[in-house]
Amino acid sequence: MKVLLINGQNHKGSTYHIGRILAEKLTPPEDIDEIFLPRDMPHFCCGCTKCFMESESLCPHYEVTKPLTAQMDEADVLIFTSPVYVYHVTGSMKAFLDHYGYRWMVHRPESKMFGKQAVVISTAAGGGMKPACKDIADSCFYWGIAKTYRYGLAVHAIKWSEVSAKKRQQIEKKTDQLAAKIKGRAGSVRPSLKTKGLFKVMSIMQNRGFNPADKNYWEEKGWSTRGRKPWKDK
Ligand SMILES: Cc1cc2nc3c(=O)[nH]c(=O)nc-3n(C[C@H](O)[C@H](O)[C@H](O)COP(=O)(O)O)c2cc1C
């Protein structure tokens, strides 16, 4: 099982460690890759909309995002980590997600996403995990990821070294549970009814089509005209 950790921070604090603990319960270290933000993708979306309207390859940051996109596509499980910064994800994580707006189902979703599982992990000193997890889980859902788990934890600490023994026990238990669920679904995960429903609505919309780049993509895949489904694509 290939696991990719996408860290919305450059440092290895509480959030990173929880993600890494989970990753190591899923697969051997050689099958774990890590992206750190902003180190590996230091750009903000400049709002040119070329990705939506023409092609993602016209994004001014395409050469930077291209290898990261390949890493995401290759992984079976994506683990996103972000500390809560003022009740939301880090700016770096948000900037990363903005670069994949073109992959939302309303535009050009990638078939491989419909067979993946994702975990969204966020820690805070006290509060804000729910909105922070939602910031990332929204993209996972609209990309078509089959199953997304959320784990928000108030660590009551600023540093990993300050996280109490009791909290660490909770983390072990929760990551054991998540690992068991993920392994149980590995290889056979299918999108939820909600995802399939949204895909159906999008296929009707794309059949009429208002953006040629998206309309052509859906037609080529056979999703809007031939009733094909990304979760059945080979
Ligand atoms: C800029 C900034 C904003 C923060 N905002 C919040 C917040 O809104 N709520 C909260 O409880 N903690 C907040 N914190 C604390 C961190 O979320 C918390 O310490 C987290 O566990 C750090 O994770 P890390 O060790 O992975 O960096 C903030 C920290 C920073 C640096």
Side-chain angles (χ1 to χ4, degrees):
M1 182 189 291
K2 287 200 167 191
V3 175
L4 177 64
L5 271 167
I6 303 171
N7 301 294
Q9 67 289 349
N10 280 335
H11 59 275
K12 295 184 174 177
S14 304
T15 331
Y16 165 81
H17 276 98
I18 297 172
R20 185 74 202 190
I21 288 168
L22 174 61
E24 290 183 5
K25 288 180 182 180
L26 290 171
T27 204
E30 59 271 24
D31 286 332
I32 304 173
D33 271 340
E34 297 183 335
I35 291 172
F36 287 90
L37 303 167
R39 185 193 74 182
D40 299 325
M41 211 300 289
H43 305 292
F44 287 110
C45 168
C46 57
C48 68
T49 71
K50 283 194 184 299
C51 63
F52 295 134
M53 303 313 289
E54 295 176 66
S55 165
E56 64 275 16
S57 63
L58 299 176
C59 172
H61 313 132
Y62 180 64
E63 291 309 319
V64 179
T65 58
K66 194 177 164 188
L68 308 182
T69 307
Q71 280 183 290
M72 284 204 284
D73 289 347
E74 274 170 28
D76 301 296
V77 178
L78 303 176
I79 301 178
F80 293 86
T81 76
S82 174
V84 172
Y85 283 2
V86 290
Y87 259 53
H88 289 277
V89 282
T90 60
S92 307
M93 177 61 84
K94 178 66 167 64
F96 178 82
L97 296 173
D98 289 345
H99 282 81
Y100 292 97
Y102 77 89
R103 279 189 164 201
W104 277 38
M105 263 190 264
V106 67
H107 296 292
R108 302 188 301 281
E110 163 58 45
S111 306
K112 294 188 179 86
M113 291 291 154
F114 293 80
K116 292 189 197 300
Q117 301 186 76
V119 188
V120 177
I121 298 171
S122 184
T123 74
M129 299 81 71
K130 202 172 170 184
C133 284
K134 185 176 184 298
D135 289 338
I136 302 169
D138 280 347
S139 279
C140 293
F141 173 71
Y142 287 104
W143 290 343
I145 285 186
K147 178 74 192 165
T148 301
Y149 311 83
R150 302 179 195 204
Y151 182 24
L153 184 68
V155 287
H156 301 145
I158 298 298
K159 291 182 190 153
W160 176 238
S161 58
E162 292 168 357
V163 175
S164 69
K166 196 174 165 206
K167 285 278 168 198
R168 285 173 192 247
Q169 272 177 3
Q170 274 179 28
I171 291 164
E172 285 300 331
K173 196 174 165 195
K174 182 71 183 181
T175 49
D176 279 346
Q177 289 168 348
L178 283 169
K181 285 183 188 168
I182 294 166
K183 284 179 176 172
R185 291 192 169 107
S188 62
V189 69
R190 289 284 173 275
S192 66
L193 274 179
K194 193 177 160 198
T195 301
K196 288 178 177 175
L198 180 66
F199 181 84
K200 178 73 186 163
V201 172
M202 291 298 131
S203 70
I204 294 165
M205 194 191 82
Q206 293 297 352
N207 195 14
R208 293 177 195 159
F210 61 91
N211 173 8
D214 297 344
K215 186 176 193 285
N216 294 343
Y217 180 84
W218 281 70
E219 257 174 36
E220 278 165 24
K221 297 273 181 191
W223 296 341
S224 55
T225 48
R226 285 177 282 137
R228 294 193 63 186
K229 309 283 186 249
W231 50 93
K232 293 183 180 166
D233 284 354
K234 287 277 176 297

